Each structure stands twice: as C-alpha cells, then as structure tokens.
Amino acid sequence: MDSWADHVFFIEGTLATVVFFAVLALSIFAFVHALLQPAPAYEAAGKLNKATWCTLLGVGVVLQFVPIGGGLIFIVFLVATLVYLADVRPAIAGLRRR
C-alpha cells in the first residue's frame, strides 16, 4: 500500500520536472533571441554587448544539463535569463519600433 510520503515525493518530483522544463524553455528562448539580435542594438540600448549576453545565456542553458551540486549556479544563470527578458529584450525591441 502506498503511504502519504510516496505521494508527496511524487508531487515534489513532478513539480521539480515541470520547473526544470519551464526554466529550460525560457533559457533557450532568451538565448536564441539574443543570438538573432544585431550587435549594435545592444550598445544602442546601453546594455552589455551581444557576446557577453550570448555567453551568459548559452552557459546557463548548457549548465542546466550538468549535474552540479548546489543550486546557486542555477539561480545565478536563471537571474541572468530573467534580467535579459525583463530589461534587455524590451530595450532592444524599443529601438526597432522607432
């Protein structure tokens, strides 16, 4: 007979898997978006250059597949992805609309 702990671990594992794939999809989207933008747009928006953003986002995508001990590195690259999507992407898009 299944115990309540088995159900809790199943739910926890399922939630962790959903979060992993959601963050992976977000990271891949940000990385591909960064690759497709012209390099001068980053400088015109007053942001870090294209090579820096592509490196940060690319390393973040790759490190999601490496089993590393500690979630601090995962969080650092997740924050980089979120900063790109919340700050850099709209700034670059604003330049294209003008």
Side-chain angles (χ1 to χ4, degrees):
M1 180 171 254
D2 291 335
S3 69
W4 63 272
D6 291 335
H7 295 293
V8 170
F9 290 134
F10 174 76
I11 292 170
E12 180 184 13
T14 302
L15 183 61
T17 302
V18 168
V19 169
F20 171 79
F21 282 111
V23 170
L24 180 63
L26 203 62
S27 298
I28 291 172
F29 172 77
F31 179 59
V32 170
H33 185 272
L35 287 174
L36 295 176
Q37 302 310 307
Y42 290 89
E43 294 165 11
K47 306 299 176 187
L48 294 174
N49 62 25
K50 179 178 181 170
T52 303
W53 278 112
C54 288
T55 301
L56 280 171
L57 298 172
V59 168
V61 169
V62 169
L63 284 181
Q64 288 189 19
F65 294 105
V66 177
I68 48 180
L72 183 60
I73 293 174
F74 174 79
I75 292 171
V76 167
F77 286 106
L78 174 60
V79 168
T81 298
L82 295 175
V83 167
Y84 180 84
L85 292 174
D87 184 40
V88 179
R89 184 173 176 254
I92 292 172
L95 293 173
R96 294 185 129 194
R97 282 188 232 128
R98 293 180 185 172

